[in-house]
Amino acid sequence: MTSSSPTPPSPPSRGSWAALRQWAQALRPAPLRVDGRERLRVVLGACLGLLVTAGLSEWLMPHGAGLPWLVAPLGASAVLVFGVPASPLAQPWAVVAGNTASALVGIACVHWLGAWLEVAAAVAVALAIGLMFLLRCLHPPGGAAALLMVLVGVKDWSFAAEPVLLNSCLMVAAGMAYNSLTGRRYPHPQGATPSGAGAAASASSAAASSASASSPQDLFREADLDAVLARYNQVLDVPRDDLRDILNEAGLLATRRRITTLRCKDVMSTQLQVVEWGTPLQEAWSMLREHRIKALPVIDRARRVVGIVTLHDFMREASLELHEDWPTRLRRLLQASPLTHSSKPEVVGQIMTRQVRVVSADRPLAELVPLFAATGHHHIPVVGPEARLVGILTQSDLVAALARMEAL
């Protein structure tokens, strides 16, 4: 018999290492996008807030009662009140009611389940979370307050008032003063949102009214945001109004970026109808009517723009501002003269506008927005290499391009 040596384990495959690296990278914290000044503001606020809370609590609480004058969960509350004062989890009702109600739950669990410490601790935290959901005062330190009551074995119901309630009220008061003085809104109003299974129905029924309530710069309606939040169905540590403003601003920045990347050649009309200097007026007029356009670029043999003829040019030459018998005057203008010499215009070059603004095909589209808006231009020829005509850009082309970007 021959004994076979054990087969060495095969090294992990390259795919396994890649998956492991990807998993490890997912654990890395995202960078905090706040500057040093904001970080210093938060640090000083937490320090001052706890100092004021501790000092006043010790002074206000009766001496000789044997009770601590500051509870540990207030440290976590300070992080929220001074670090993220806009958070729904940091608002005054969340701090005061969340800590106090959770402390009461913890004390109750000590009375009911005190003989089973592990069970009492788990049930206290779970019930505290459920009660905070019910009272709309979800506050993470509340879970710590419930757990603290169990671990310390607090049975005195007044402990929820002193020091927990007292500490929480003083912390909120300090947060209101400090955040206001340092330029942060606190309390931060929390917009009401539809909840539960009826959110989608509420969103659809509120669509008409929310359209008028939204700002003209809004990229979406209030009901749209409510419907998405209802489908997301998770607690967000961002107030609804801030979330709406952030999404709007990000959308506007994206729209501006897309506008700056577009060039005239990306949106111009390339199916061109053009005429030359010697094109008869009747032919040019027929082209305008047949293609339902308002302007025709006038080019030379090298396709360079020498002018533009518009409906306004025809109206000016036919004196259409005089309403009496204007069809007759227009027919006379368009009708070719049988004579070798005529006092009236016969070809496009005699009525066209010679001073024509043209733009390069590579010019950013954003630069043309004020041009269309302020100068009254409706049609701008687009030229390419050697100033040859390659397209025409109209107000309709510009509006259509902006509408397509808005829909993205």
Side-chain angles (χ1 to χ4, degrees), residues 92-126:
W93 173 250
V95 177
V96 175
N99 283 334
T100 307
S102 298
L104 289 171
V105 170
I107 296 171
C109 287
V110 172
H111 283 280
W112 300 333
L113 304 169
W116 302 282
L117 182 62
E118 295 83 356
V119 176
V123 171
V125 173

Side-chain angles (χ1 to χ4, degrees), residues 136-287:
R136 294 192 295 176
C137 60
L138 192 63
H139 186 59
L147 182 61
L148 178 65
M149 301 301 106
V150 174
L151 296 180
V152 177
V154 176
K155 293 186 176 182
D156 186 355
W157 295 97
S158 66
F159 194 92
E162 290 180 348
V164 177
L165 176 60
L166 178 62
N167 287 170
S168 300
C169 291
L170 291 174
M171 176 67 69
V172 165
M176 288 181 178
Y178 183 81
N179 284 312
S180 298
L181 290 174
T182 55
R184 295 291 182 270
R185 279 195 300 168
Y186 187 78
H188 191 109
Q190 307 291 307
T193 59
S195 59
S202 300
S204 59
S205 64
S209 59
S210 64
S212 59
S214 299
S215 166
Q217 285 98 3
D218 284 350
L219 299 180
F220 48 83
R221 294 177 175 179
E222 297 287 340
D224 299 332
L225 180 58
D226 291 337
V228 172
L229 289 176
R231 287 197 298 270
Y232 187 69
N233 196 30
Q234 295 184 38
V235 176
L236 288 180
D237 194 14
V238 181
R240 183 180 178 281
D241 58 337
D242 281 1
L243 178 62
R244 180 195 61 220
D245 294 343
I246 290 170
L247 292 175
N248 268 321
E249 188 169 349
L252 289 173
L253 288 175
T255 299
R256 293 192 187 110
R257 185 187 68 251
R258 289 195 293 266
I259 290 178
T260 57
T261 58
L262 281 179
R263 297 292 184 262
C264 292
K265 62 184 178 183
D266 298 323
V267 299
M268 69 182 183
S269 300
T270 56
Q271 301 297 323
L272 299 177
Q273 301 297 323
V274 298
V275 292
E276 296 182 351
W277 196 96
T279 301
L281 294 180
Q282 178 64 57
E283 182 180 341
W285 177 260
S286 299
M287 292 173 65

